[in-house]
Amino acid sequence: MAEENKKIDGAAALKVVCDTLDAEEFNYEKDEEKLAVFCGAKGEDIPMELIIRVDEERSLLYAVSKMPFAVAEDKRMDLVLAVCIANDKLINGSFDYDISDGTIIFRIDNRLVGCDVTPEMVKYLMYTAFATVDDYNDKFFMLNKGLLTLEQYLSSDN
């Protein structure tokens, strides 16, 4: 139980995150006060932004990626179903969907109980986030714009 209550060293964890991003040759901005880094990548279509944060209080390393569009009001119920279906298929991470303003955010985390942040952990979170967002952002965008119907989305291998 004592191990579960032990806080992580946020500065040390953030250094591992930055060192890993340097080794992977990513450009990023660092906010030492918030224990966060901001980076991005270009997928097959839509550019992706990623925030990687260290949460000392909860002993977490997590990443979030917000979709660069808000879902139109008339498409929000379609996206409720699309996001639920996507989440059902995901093994790690999930999409959070705020139906009130149409924002969709992908998040993935790793609880750091009794362990330190490692480069492998950072790469796993980062590349899993980028791959998942890249797989779904175009589908969510096309549903939002009416370029893909909900029926087409449901029948596709998503």
Side-chain angles (χ1 to χ4, degrees), residues 87-98:
N87 281 339
D88 188 52
K89 294 180 182 249
L90 296 177
I91 295 171
N92 289 317
S94 63
F95 288 99
D96 295 334
Y97 178 44
D98 187 337

Side-chain angles (χ1 to χ4, degrees), residues 15-157:
K15 182 177 181 339
V16 173
V17 171
C18 292
D19 289 348
T20 304
L21 290 172
D22 289 339
E24 295 294 303
E25 299 182 354
F26 269 84
N27 293 321
Y28 62 92
E29 293 180 29
K30 173 174 59 171
D31 185 332
E32 291 183 22
E33 188 175 308
K34 292 183 180 177
L35 298 174
V37 297
F38 307 86
C39 63
K42 176 82 168 94
E44 290 183 22
D45 38 43
I46 301 172
M48 301 170 285
E49 293 182 3
L50 188 69
I51 302 170
I52 303 172
R53 293 195 71 173
V54 178
D55 184 331
E56 290 177 306
E57 293 297 316
R58 297 185 295 169
S59 297
L60 287 175
L61 177 67
Y62 67 95
V64 295
S65 181
K66 182 178 177 185
M67 297 289 151
F69 59 88
V71 177
E73 283 191 46
D74 65 328
K75 297 292 184 184
R76 290 189 183 166
M77 291 312 295
D78 286 352
L79 269 292
V80 165
L81 289 171
V83 167
C84 285
I85 291 165
N87 281 339
D88 188 52
K89 294 180 182 249
L90 296 177
I91 295 171
N92 289 317
S94 63
F95 288 99
D96 295 334
Y97 178 44
D98 187 337
I99 195 168
S100 69
D101 66 5
T103 57
I104 301 173
I105 297 171
F106 178 77
R107 70 179 160 88
I108 184 169
D109 59 58
N110 195 347
R111 182 94 196 266
L112 303 168
V113 176
C115 65
D116 294 321
V117 174
T118 65
E120 292 76 19
M121 190 183 298
V122 175
K123 288 189 281 189
Y124 178 79
L125 285 178
M126 180 176 65
Y127 289 123
T128 300
F130 283 140
T132 305
V133 170
D134 195 39
D135 282 346
Y136 286 94
N137 62 8
D138 56 335
K139 294 172 190 171
F140 293 161
F141 180 79
M142 289 179 8
L143 272 167
N144 180 48
K145 291 296 184 184
L147 302 171
L148 181 71
T149 66
L150 184 59
E151 291 75 23
Q152 290 169 321
Y153 175 83
L154 294 173
S155 66
S156 71
D157 183 28

